[in-house]
Amino acid sequence: MVRNHGKFRPSEHTTDRPDLLARVFNLNLKSLMDDPTVHGALGKSIAQVYTIEFQKRGLAHAHILIVLRATDKFSTSEHIDKFVRGEIPSPIENRRLHEIVTKCLKHGPCGIDNPETLCMEAGQCKKMFPKECRTETTMNVSVYPFVSQMPK
């Protein structure tokens, strides 16, 4: 099939053009990686690795690990809160984004509401959901920090 020199045909959608999706994804990934690794947005990066995965619908996403030098690592909750925040968009200010986040990016329902889900084991969610909402990050020496997140 002859392509229309990178242009969409009237009946085409973005999902019909994996060549363009891959190109745009790679450009965005490079730009995203440049901020912390080249420009030092989080501090001095001493190592980085990422892997690209594709969802069932064919959409790409990346899992990224960046190792910072010891003096730049996030050691306080205040330092973490400067860069990391989990927030569900307001249904009043941005209804469409709120719907997407609550439908596609939230874990569950599980627990008493849905005890047959794959994450359930012995009556408890293996991922430890639901988690309480926090306004500030709390450091925990044995596991990852509990990052602040806004309530629903």
Side-chain angles (χ1 to χ4, degrees):
M1 176 186 219
V2 177
R3 288 282 178 202
N4 195 11
H5 301 291
K7 297 178 184 173
F8 284 100
R9 293 184 176 157
S11 63
E12 283 185 319
H13 299 283
T14 54
T15 53
D16 297 326
R17 296 298 304 270
D19 56 329
L20 293 178
L21 283 175
R23 181 179 289 174
V24 169
F25 177 81
N26 283 323
L27 288 170
N28 285 332
L29 180 60
K30 182 183 180 335
S31 176
L32 176 69
M33 290 297 292
D34 280 354
D35 281 342
T37 60
V38 175
H39 305 298
L42 302 174
K44 174 73 174 150
S45 168
I46 58 173
Q48 59 273 334
V49 64
Y50 64 84
T51 182
I52 298 171
E53 295 179 354
F54 293 87
Q55 297 171 346
K56 292 178 184 175
R57 296 174 300 233
L59 300 174
H61 65 277
H63 294 262
I64 302 169
L65 173 65
I66 298 172
V67 180
L68 302 174
R69 68 180 170 193
T71 56
D72 291 326
K73 289 186 179 181
F74 292 17
S75 57
T76 66
S77 58
E78 292 81 13
H79 194 191
I80 293 170
D81 286 343
K82 283 184 184 178
F83 295 95
V84 181
R85 184 171 190 86
E87 191 171 310
I88 297 173
S90 165
I92 297 166
E93 293 176 19
N94 195 333
R95 183 176 177 196
R96 177 80 175 120
L97 187 56
H98 175 81
E99 289 172 359
I100 291 170
V101 169
T102 55
K103 179 182 176 189
C104 302
L105 299 177
K106 283 181 68 178
H107 178 80
C110 62
I112 297 169
D113 296 334
N114 196 358
E116 302 301 317
T117 57
L118 295 174
C119 65
M120 294 296 288
E121 189 173 272
Q124 297 285 326
C125 175
K126 292 187 282 190
K127 310 286 185 190
M128 297 183 295
F129 282 96
K131 297 183 180 186
E132 71 178 81
C133 290
R134 302 170 177 272
T135 56
E136 294 179 353
T137 298
T138 306
M139 299 299 286
N140 184 331
V141 293
S142 62
V143 294
Y144 293 104
F146 299 115
V147 179
S148 63
Q149 48 187 190
M150 298 302 293
K152 297 178 195 180

